[in-house]
Structures are given as structure tokens and as C-alpha cells.
């Protein structure tokens, strides 16, 4: 009898843990879908293209940060 109660308790705890873990994945997936809608610059294959890539990447990061800051401002107002 004690074994059956122990198994039932483990089953209930397992179901609760599984539900909590699934909720976290859904929220993370929604956040990831909303982020990064722009296209990052293409990674260069020639060593001479690295400085241009660096400039493009800096601009991309600044643009994305500005978009995210704007979304945060809209959400908090």
C-alpha cells in the first residue's frame, strides 16, 4: 500500500515538473520568434572582407538594439 502511494506521489510530482518545464519552453520560443527579424550580414570568406563585415555587423547590432529599445518603450508605456 505504501508503495502504491509512493508511486502515485512520484507520478503527480513528475507531471507537475513536466508542465512547468513545458511552460518555460513556450515562453522562450515566443520571445525568440519576436526577436531578430532583421537579416544579419553575410559572413565573409575572404580575409580582406573582414573589416567591411565588422562595420556591417556593428551597424546591424546597433539597428537591432534600437528596434528592441523601441519595443520595450512601447510595451512599458
Amino acid at each position: 500500500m505504501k508503495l502504491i502511494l509512493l508511486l502515485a506521489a512520484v507520478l503527480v510530482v513528475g507531471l507537475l515538473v513536466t508542465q512547468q518545464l513545458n511552460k518555460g519552453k513556450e515562453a522562450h520560443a515566443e520571445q525568440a520568434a519576436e526577436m531578430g527579424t532583421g537579416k544579419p550580414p553575410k559572413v565573409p570568406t575572404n580575409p580582406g572582407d573582414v573589416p567591411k563585415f565588422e562595420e556591417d555587423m556593428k551597424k546591424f547590432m546597433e539597428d537591432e538594439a534600437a528596434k528592441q529599445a523601441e519595443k520595450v518603450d512601447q510595451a512599458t508605456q
Side-chain angles (χ1 to χ4, degrees), residues 25-72:
K25 289 181 183 178
E26 292 171 3
H28 182 65
E30 290 173 4
Q31 291 173 353
E34 292 176 5
M35 292 174 46
T37 57
K39 294 194 89 170
K42 187 176 179 183
V43 177
T45 55
N46 297 327
D49 296 336
V50 173
K52 172 78 168 110
F53 174 72
E54 182 180 5
E55 293 171 11
D56 292 344
M57 185 57 86
K58 283 182 182 178
K59 180 162 178 23
F60 172 74
M61 294 298 291
E62 289 171 359
D63 291 345
E64 288 297 314
K67 287 178 187 176
Q68 189 173 16
E70 184 179 322
K71 286 181 182 178
V72 168

Side-chain angles (χ1 to χ4, degrees), residues 11-30:
L11 178 66
V12 169
V13 170
L15 289 174
L16 291 174
V17 168
T18 304
Q19 287 178 349
Q20 289 296 323
L21 291 176
N22 287 338
K23 286 182 184 177
K25 289 181 183 178
E26 292 171 3
H28 182 65
E30 290 173 4

